[in-house]
Amino acid sequence: MKMIQLAARGVRASLGRLVLTTIAIVTGVGFVSGSFILADSLSNTLDALIASDTDTPDAQISLAKLEFGHDDRSIPDTLTAEVEALPEVGEAEAVVTYERLEDFAIVDDDGREIKPGFAGFVVPGVWNGEEQEEGVSIVDGAPPAGIDQVAVSSNYAEKAGLAVGDQLTMNTAVGQRRFELATIIEVADLGRNFYLAFDFPAAQTLFDKEGQVDVIQLTRASGVSTERMVAAVEQILPEQAAVQSFDDLIAELSAGIDGQLTIVRNVLLGFAGIALFVSLFIIYNTFAILVTQRLHQIGMLRAIGATKGQVRVGVIFEAMLVGIFGSLVGVVFGYGIAYGLQFIIERASGFDTSTVIQPRTVVVALIVGLGATTVSALLPSLLAGRVSPVAAMRSEAPSRSSARRRVATGSAVTAVGVVLLTIGLFVGGQGTSALVAELAIGSVLTFVGVALLSALFAGPFVGFVGQAPVLGAGLFGLGLAMPVLMFTIGDGTGGLMFGPKMVVSIVAMVTGASTFITWLRGGRRFGLGGSAGGLAGRLARQNAARSPRRTAATATALTIGIAVVSAFGVVGESLKATQGDVAARAIRADLFVGSDDTTIDGELADRVAALDGVAEVSRIRYNEIRVGDDVEEVAAYEADTGDRLIDFAISVGSVDGLADNGVLVYSDVADDRSLDVGDTVAVEFVDQRTEQLVVAGIFDDNPLEKGWVIDLSVYERHVSGTDDDVVAVSFAEGTDSEALVASVEAIGEQFASPDVLNAAEMTEDVENEANLLIWIVNSLLGLTLFVAFIGVVNTIVLSVIERTREVGLLRAVGMTQRQVKGAIRWESVMVCLFGATLGIGLGVVFAWAAVSAIPDGDIANVAIPYESVLFTVLVAVLAGVVAAVIPARRAAKLDVLDAIATTG
Amino acid sequence: MTTTLQTTTDAPPPPARVEGAAHSIGASKVYGSGDTEVHALRDVSVQFDEGRFTAIMGPSGSGKSTLMQCMAGLDRLSAGETFVGDVALSTLGDKALTELRRDRIGFVFQAFNLIPTLNAAENITLPLDLAGRKPDRDWLEQVVTATDLGDRLDHRPNELSGGQQQRVAVARAMASRPDIVFGDEPTGNLDSRTSAEILAFMRAAVDEFGQTIVMVTHDPVSASYSDHVLFLNDGRIVDEMTNPTADAVLDKIKSLGADR
Ligand SMILES: Nc1ncnc2c1ncn2[C@@H]1O[C@H](COP(=O)(O)OP(=O)(O)O)[C@@H](O)[C@H]1O
Ligand SMILES: [Mg+2]
């Protein structure tokens, strides 16, 4: 009991010293609880949205789900009348929808979209009549009728200055058309989106769904149960359609949403976990420092009879108080984050959302926050327990574990971590949760082990790099290397970071040069502005050596964040390099026409083939097949042209046998299944029929295909529809390719405007995707880096407090305020540089391991993004300077006499 | 007469010529205000001549440390002025004052004189390093030899005895050949044998190198090493003694105590 009171007093006495630690906890816990709150709230919002629709049907007919793959089947609109004729069915309503919203746009005479104000999406729909549709009312005009009439929501009409009777040009799924604005309608809950409506037959045409419906909604006849109606409808349904009661449908929908939200939540929690893990090191540091600062007090307590256990418990209690407080504030912070994100989502989507805090969230937050502080205060509490009663008289740190023991523990922990990581990466056939656990625990152990070991070389590192000439010349060199890299290896844009990269480069060059020159002159300016006889470096080195664990723990916080950032950077760069390599080698076609989110009408290929100057065209279609128990990707080519457009890189056999019920197999797949040229494989298609195909060839890495390749004729036997996924085009010799590209694009505009890309642009596409992923990961890691940064500030602040007397003495014997600031800045930069160097090293190793684990078809060899790595190092230096601002100012402003008079 | 002293409350006569390494005119220092007001120094005018070893004595709380700190540019007066050479300290900003301490003044505190992370040699050259100045090798060697630290130079403070630590501090104070060295009870924490060593060294520094030293002490034996003793009481200089012996100082303290 007494120890609790003492702990509470301890917290109160050290409030200032715990502020930054609390911020670290709050940030980590905030991210954790924010992830929960956001997921819960979105799930709640979507559930409410589904449930709020009161005018719901009893059942719904839609396309039957396939076991795998996809098919071009559709529901004929004639089915509507057939089911309506059933006595069990009261009413059947056909629905067509269109999902690629960007295909619809009202354009001006030059084909540019007219998007007044802060416009959202254009949502195309079907005119269902005002009395049927809730929340829709006519403002002006009569309902649209016929293929050339459209209703437009009033929010758009007002902003664009449209009136009933105006003529509009509009992009549709079937190309550009002219319309008459027949109706202006008021639609509720649109947000910033605009609504367009056509009559039903017109919608079918304009959505490219002639004669089809997407869904038929059913209301049961009076006195008939939903079950009976569903059973009756099932009797007459064509093979490709299925009927489902609306309750089942909603349950399925909710489960799907919850499943996806859970994935999103878990990804966010993963990043929150990294941030929390980083804060462990900060909490550890704080309590370790607090213990050393209170040696006298602890020694006194021991002298007057406190047991080791009581002293330890005291430290733990103190940590727990901080943990509870930090966690509660963290939940509030998390609520804030979630609320902010929701606000953005609400603005973007137009949905009403509400923020939900479940008791579970608070409990988890408390457990996580409390757990983190308790665990990290464990070591410091053991240290406190080792303080001897005579410490009250002397000012001597308790003996820490020996370097040899640290090496032993560090190596052992690292080894176990590496083994786990290796198992996770290279041993196949494991469940996802086992894999995640192996990778997570493996990296945690690796980081802890490296942190233990890094304490050994923190001193030497700082000692070497901390010398004025080394740091000065080094900084200048690194700064100079940035523009050199950007304009030689890089494309000179800095990957959209031109400004920031140039700024850090210039700052580094100027600081480095001034450090070096002042050193040459034996100048008296200090710190990063030059070192007096290397004194700043010496002080920094010796401070680092005095508490290598603290330096290492502080640096490790940074190391973790930077390691993950660099690992993703390296993997991304390797991916880009591999793809670029293969594409440059193997693409023979001049153009690829395709779209990420839709197929292309088969007519496009015919029209392109008919263009003057086009030598060859190949349709490519993708689907899934089942081989044995596994569902695999399959690509269908026109056998006679396919390999002239792409080099399949066939190593054994040839494409020749493809047309003759043949199949090409990727070498990795062939190895796994022990397939050789001439072997027969049973392949099941989406239509559930199985066919025996003969292996005609085995291929290696190529830019497009990784699995199975078959001939289009085989494909068409099993999959209905004439849409293509990609159309590859090659030009005849000596044609004006620019004009041809324009012609192809013009044709494309009449078919949902697919992308028209050449080989270089294809590679760029892959690169952009990789860049986007890296950008997202880096943003999510921003929090971790922020926590690590707080950790650096925290350590520097605390060590300035700890060294108050020293600072006082230095000032007394003639250290100027500027020199004090310089020395502290110097130390901070050293810590950051150490952390960054270690982090980049680990990141490259992690990435190397990951790249080795990824099949060569995706990423073959490691490529290092030198520009980004350099940027990271320079930003770390800058962060060090910034982290030192507050502590340096505090130290410089210390009153000399007070500082010297400080005890302990 | 090497030290003038002014105990009058009259306005002090302006000194005809600046003499001595440091002097003060009408130095007053008040801590706190209102009820808690403490007059640590009351109108003290004093001069420390070059090449002299001066001791400042007085009961605890008499203002010895305050006087020394204000003379040394570590603290500022409430009224009056202190000079090092002919530089008036109140005219200096923090930077100039710091550089003056670094270049022209040496310090020895009672305790915590050394930076724990620097070894003895680095501690000794600290003010020079801070100034970015090359040490005068011969001079350093003399100082190191005189303080008998030759074999301890690469030791950290926690590897040195209390006496050795104070010797390093004294060597540090002298390393930059300052105009004046101030010591606030530099031997206060040491046993008598060790403190005798230090005091003998300080005496030698004055005799052989012409160093000016001002030392606060309340030990009559320590004071006997000096050329001149000033007695402080309640913020005023109340007496002085030239060529003191331990017994004479003790008698003086007793008589001053009886006066009160
Ligand atoms: N920082 C301070 N704040 C308030 N009073 C102080 C301070 N420093 C010294 N004093 C007071 O000024 C007087 C002189 O102190 P000091 O010069 O330290 O005496 P000495 O060194 O002779 O023992 C004492 O009464 C002391 O309490
Ligand atoms: Mg004193």
Side-chain angles (χ1 to χ4, degrees):
Chain A
M1 193 57 218
K2 280 281 173 293
M3 286 322 279
I4 299 181
Q5 283 171 0
L6 212 59
R9 298 244 169 92
V11 170
R12 221 180 309 151
S14 332
L15 264 187
R17 295 164 206 208
L18 291 170
V19 169
L20 288 166
T21 313
T22 312
I23 291 180
I25 302 170
V26 167
T27 315
V29 172
F31 206 159
V32 170
S33 49
S35 307
F36 276 111
I37 295 172
L38 185 69
D40 289 347
S41 308
L42 288 182
S43 149
N44 200 49
T45 305
L46 292 172
D47 284 351
L49 206 70
I50 295 169
S52 72
D53 207 350
T54 48
D55 187 24
T56 55
D58 298 314
Q60 174 169 307
I61 297 171
S62 52
L63 271 180
K65 283 188 190 62
L66 292 169
E67 269 181 75
F68 60 88
H70 60 85
D71 199 348
D72 206 13
R73 295 173 305 179
S74 58
I75 302 172
D77 54 4
T78 49
L79 185 63
T80 317
E82 287 171 34
V83 288
E84 196 156 33
L86 289 172
E88 289 86 353
V89 175
E91 225 177 292
E93 191 192 335
V95 180
V96 280
T97 51
Y98 195 75
E99 263 128 38
R100 262 171 51 106
L101 301 183
E102 64 268 31
D103 289 347
F104 277 79
I106 297 176
V107 297
D108 61 18
D109 294 340
D110 299 328
R112 280 193 303 264
E113 180 167 11
I114 303 172
K115 237 182 174 186
F118 228 59
F121 289 110
V122 175
V123 184
V126 178
W127 179 255
N128 282 326
E130 69 186 293
E131 69 281 3
Q132 284 179 10
E133 202 75 38
E134 262 180 82
V136 178
S137 56
I138 292 184
V139 176
D140 194 14
I147 191 72
D148 55 0
Q149 292 210 338
V150 62
V152 175
S153 61
S154 57
N155 56 350
Y156 185 91
E158 273 164 27
K159 284 197 181 125
L162 297 176
V164 167
D166 283 357
Q167 291 292 314
L168 308 175
T169 309
M170 199 187 308
N171 293 340
T172 72
V174 290
Q176 239 174 48
R177 304 243 177 158
R178 299 278 297 169
F179 292 89
E180 181 195 341
L181 204 177
T183 336
I184 292 180
I185 49 178
E186 180 79 49
V187 184
D189 296 334
L190 266 185
R192 289 187 294 107
N193 303 331
F194 304 132
Y195 190 65
L196 303 171
F198 313 95
D199 77 3
F200 191 85
Q204 282 180 307
T205 309
L206 298 170
F207 295 176
D208 197 17
K209 290 182 176 173
E210 203 93 51
Q212 307 170 12
V213 296
D214 290 310
V215 161
I216 303 172
Q217 298 186 332
L218 306 173
T219 322
R220 53 180 198 246
S222 59
V224 178
S225 73
T226 305
E227 287 71 38
R228 251 188 67 202
M229 175 180 69
V230 166
V233 169
E234 258 163 4
Q235 299 298 315
I236 65 157
L237 279 186
E239 176 202 26
Q240 75 271 28
V243 61
Q244 198 175 18
S245 82
F246 211 72
D247 291 344
D248 288 353
L249 188 76
I250 285 180
E252 207 180 287
L253 216 62
S254 290
I257 290 170
D258 283 348
Q260 297 205 335
L261 283 175
T262 306
I263 292 172
V264 170
R265 189 193 71 194
N266 289 346
V267 168
L268 288 178
L269 280 178
F271 283 94
I274 301 176
L276 256 173
F277 179 51
V278 165
S279 56
L280 291 188
F281 288 86
I282 294 161
I283 305 166
Y284 158 78
N285 256 356
T286 304
F287 282 94
I289 296 173
L290 281 184
V291 167
T292 36
Q293 282 176 354
R294 289 200 209 133
L295 288 181
H296 285 275
Q297 190 193 329
I298 296 170
M300 230 255 290
L301 283 172
R302 295 279 285 122
I304 61 173
T307 65
K308 276 185 184 198
Q310 283 173 318
V311 169
R312 284 189 208 130
V313 166
V315 174
I316 298 277
F317 265 135
E318 205 171 324
M320 286 171 82
L321 286 180
V322 178
I324 293 173
F325 176 74
S327 307
L328 290 177
V329 178
V331 174
V332 175
F333 179 56
Y335 182 88
I337 300 177
Y339 185 84
L341 283 177
Q342 262 189 287
F343 183 75
I344 294 169
I345 293 172
E346 190 167 317
R347 283 312 275 303
S349 71
F351 294 145
D352 285 337
T353 57
S354 59
T355 315
V356 180
I357 299 192
Q358 287 189 10
R360 180 259 277 122
T361 307
V362 180
V363 171
V364 170
L366 272 176
I367 290 176
V368 162
L370 205 55
T373 38
T374 312
V375 165
S376 18
L378 221 53
L379 276 177
S381 82
L382 294 181
L383 195 69
R386 281 210 296 275
V387 174
S388 71
V390 282
M393 274 60 95
R394 279 194 265 121
S395 165
E396 204 171 86
S399 61
R400 292 168 180 258
S401 53
S402 69
R404 187 181 297 174
R405 249 180 66 193
R406 204 182 304 156
V407 176
T409 334
S411 313
V413 174
T414 315
V416 175
V418 168
V419 167
L420 276 177
L421 281 176
T422 314
I423 295 175
L425 283 173
F426 294 100
V427 177
Q430 310 174 75
T432 316
S433 46
L435 192 77
V436 168
E438 278 158 13
L439 294 183
I441 298 174
S443 356
V444 164
L445 289 180
T446 309
F447 279 123
V448 171
V450 168
L452 284 170
L453 290 176
S454 69
L456 292 175
F457 36 84
F461 177 91
V462 173
F464 175 69
V465 180
Q467 297 170 57
V470 177
L471 189 66
L475 271 185
F476 181 79
L478 290 176
L480 187 67
M482 178 60 95
V484 170
L485 277 178
M486 278 169 76
F487 292 106
T488 54
I489 301 177
D491 57 2
T493 66
L496 299 181
M497 294 283 278
F498 186 84
K501 281 183 177 172
M502 286 316 283
V503 168
V504 293
S505 148
I506 290 166
V507 170
M509 279 196 278
V510 170
T511 331
S514 82
T515 304
F516 193 76
I517 290 166
T518 12
W519 171 76
L520 273 185
R521 288 214 204 114
R524 44 171 76 174
R525 268 178 64 223
F526 216 43
L528 288 178
S531 140
L535 187 63
R538 211 150 69 206
L539 284 170
R541 171 180 60 213
Q542 275 142 0
N543 282 327
R546 175 162 57 170
S547 36
R549 276 194 188 183
R550 182 190 311 169
T551 311
T554 311
T556 305
L558 265 179
T559 300
I560 295 166
I562 289 179
V564 185
V565 169
S566 340
F568 270 94
V570 173
V571 171
E573 186 73 11
S574 308
L575 172 74
K576 287 189 245 172
T578 307
Q579 299 292 326
D581 245 26
V582 176
R585 234 182 322 114
I587 290 189
R588 294 170 178 168
D590 294 293
L591 280 185
F592 290 90
V593 183
S595 166
D596 283 342
D597 50 9
T598 187
T599 54
I600 317 160
D601 196 302
E603 204 191 322
L604 180 133
D606 297 336
R607 303 249 310 256
V608 170
L611 284 174
D612 265 352
V614 168
E616 230 157 359
V617 166
S618 178
R619 309 157 182 279
I620 307 171
R621 296 184 193 168
Y622 294 105
N623 215 319
E624 287 176 337
I625 50 175
R626 187 145 60 189
V627 186
D629 290 331
D630 306 317
V631 173
E632 309 238 346
E633 303 257 321
V634 69
Y637 279 73
E638 292 177 274
D640 52 336
T641 53
D643 76 317
R644 287 203 294 278
L645 296 164
I646 300 129
D647 180 359
F648 283 119
I650 289 180
S651 53
V652 193
S654 74
V655 276
D656 293 345
L658 192 56
D660 197 15
N661 275 359
V663 60
L664 303 178
V665 188
Y666 183 49
S667 50
D668 283 5
V669 179
D671 285 348
D672 282 352
R673 296 178 180 272
S674 322
L675 286 176
D676 274 322
V677 171
D679 289 354
T680 307
V681 234
V683 173
E684 185 189 342
F685 288 88
V686 284
D687 61 355
Q688 298 182 359
R689 295 210 321 265
T690 302
E691 200 161 331
Q692 303 294 325
L693 299 179
V694 181
V695 178
I698 291 171
F699 62 90
D700 289 331
D701 298 337
N702 70 63
L704 290 185
E705 310 313 335
K706 296 271 138 50
W708 304 70
V709 176
I710 57 171
D711 185 58
L712 199 61
S713 61
V714 178
Y715 183 91
E716 281 177 327
R717 287 210 287 269
H718 300 280
V719 188
S720 59
T722 56
D723 280 8
D724 301 315
D725 287 295
V726 177
V727 175
V729 185
S730 69
F731 299 158
E733 298 270 331
T735 43
D736 176 2
S737 58
E738 255 176 60
L740 261 184
V741 171
S743 319
V744 174
E745 275 171 352
I747 295 175
E749 262 166 42
Q750 294 160 38
F751 300 95
S753 307
D755 299 325
V756 176
L757 306 174
N758 61 31
E761 290 165 336
M762 287 266 286
T763 325
E764 224 169 82
D765 225 32
V766 175
E767 286 185 4
N768 289 342
E769 270 167 46
N771 285 344
L772 182 70
L773 186 73
I774 292 172
W775 187 85
I776 292 173
V777 169
N778 284 354
S779 314
L780 288 170
L781 283 171
L783 204 75
T784 300
L785 294 174
F786 169 75
V787 173
F789 174 77
I790 292 282
V792 176
V793 181
N794 185 48
T795 304
I796 306 286
V797 166
L798 291 178
S799 63
V800 165
I801 293 176
E802 193 181 35
R803 275 181 280 155
T804 301
R805 275 173 90 181
E806 259 175 79
V807 174
L809 182 63
L810 285 166
R811 295 273 291 125
V813 300
M815 194 182 231
T816 60
Q817 291 189 342
R818 190 169 176 174
Q819 287 177 323
V820 170
K821 286 186 192 170
I824 288 164
R825 207 179 304 139
W826 193 282
E827 195 175 333
S828 169
V829 166
M830 284 302 108
V831 171
C832 288
L833 257 182
F834 183 57
T837 310
L838 213 58
I840 289 169
L842 277 180
V844 170
V845 173
F846 281 171
W848 169 79
V851 166
S852 315
I854 296 171
D856 275 0
D858 294 312
I859 305 182
N861 27 40
V862 178
I864 294 171
Y866 293 104
E867 256 180 62
S868 321
V869 166
L870 191 56
F871 184 63
T872 312
V873 173
L874 295 180
V875 168
V877 172
L878 221 60
V881 173
V882 176
V885 167
I886 294 171
R889 186 173 302 161
R890 281 179 68 156
K893 290 273 177 263
L894 280 175
D895 181 87
V896 178
L897 289 171
D898 286 352
I900 294 177
T902 308
T903 51
Chain B
M1 192 78 194
T2 54
T3 306
T4 51
L5 56 111
Q6 220 87 32
T7 54
T8 63
T9 48
D10 301 342
R17 202 173 72 84
V18 173
E19 265 185 280
H23 70 280
S24 73
I25 299 170
S28 299
K29 176 78 181 177
V30 184
Y31 288 110
S33 59
D35 280 355
T36 59
E37 207 171 71
V38 176
H39 289 264
L41 291 179
R42 298 173 197 264
D43 197 15
V44 175
S45 297
V46 69
Q47 180 168 321
F48 303 118
D49 280 356
E50 278 165 29
R52 283 277 158 161
F53 187 169
T54 310
I56 302 175
M57 298 199 72
S60 183
S62 57
K64 305 183 295 288
S65 295
T66 307
L67 177 63
M68 200 212 79
Q69 286 158 1
C70 290
M71 297 293 297
L74 284 168
D75 205 352
R76 293 189 188 270
L77 290 172
S78 309
E81 184 63 280
T82 55
F83 297 84
V84 169
D86 54 1
V87 178
L89 299 192
S90 70
T91 61
L92 302 180
D94 183 83
K95 181 155 187 278
L97 199 58
T98 305
E99 284 169 358
L100 177 114
R101 288 200 302 268
R102 187 182 71 196
D103 300 335
R104 298 183 60 181
I105 297 176
F107 283 105
V108 186
F109 296 101
Q110 182 175 2
F112 199 76
N113 268 299
L114 307 178
I115 300 296
T117 49
L118 299 180
N119 66 26
E122 290 166 334
N123 264 295
I124 291 172
T125 57
L126 186 57
L128 293 166
D129 284 342
L130 286 168
R133 260 175 28 206
K134 284 254 172 305
D136 175 345
R137 283 279 146 218
D138 292 342
W139 170 245
L140 266 189
E141 207 137 295
Q142 280 188 49
V143 172
V144 168
T145 315
T147 43
D148 197 17
L149 282 166
D151 56 341
R152 298 283 160 166
L153 284 178
D154 54 352
H155 288 229
R156 292 278 176 85
N158 63 0
E159 297 160 342
L160 298 173
S161 71
Q164 286 166 337
Q165 288 185 23
Q166 280 315 76
R167 292 211 305 260
V168 174
V170 174
R172 198 257 330 275
M174 309 228 352
S176 60
R177 288 179 169 256
D179 296 358
I180 185 163
V181 171
F182 289 100
D184 192 348
E185 308 196 32
T187 59
N189 269 356
L190 304 176
D191 61 71
S192 52
R193 204 176 64 86
T194 323
S195 65
E197 279 170 30
I198 305 264
L199 289 160
F201 170 68
M202 289 166 72
R203 182 68 249 171
V206 175
D207 292 341
E208 291 165 30
F209 312 135
Q211 180 69 60
T212 312
I213 297 182
V214 177
M215 172 183 76
V216 169
T217 182
H218 49 228
D219 171 28
V221 178
S222 301
S224 70
Y225 282 81
S226 70
D227 298 315
H228 199 86
V229 184
L230 296 180
F231 294 94
L232 233 65
N233 198 1
D234 197 19
R236 288 193 182 87
I237 294 179
V238 291
D239 209 340
E240 64 180 308
M241 179 186 287
T242 311
N243 297 328
T245 63
D247 289 339
V249 171
L250 199 58
D251 288 344
K252 179 70 81 186
I253 291 172
K254 280 180 183 154
S255 74
L256 285 174
D259 281 355
R260 298 181 66 186

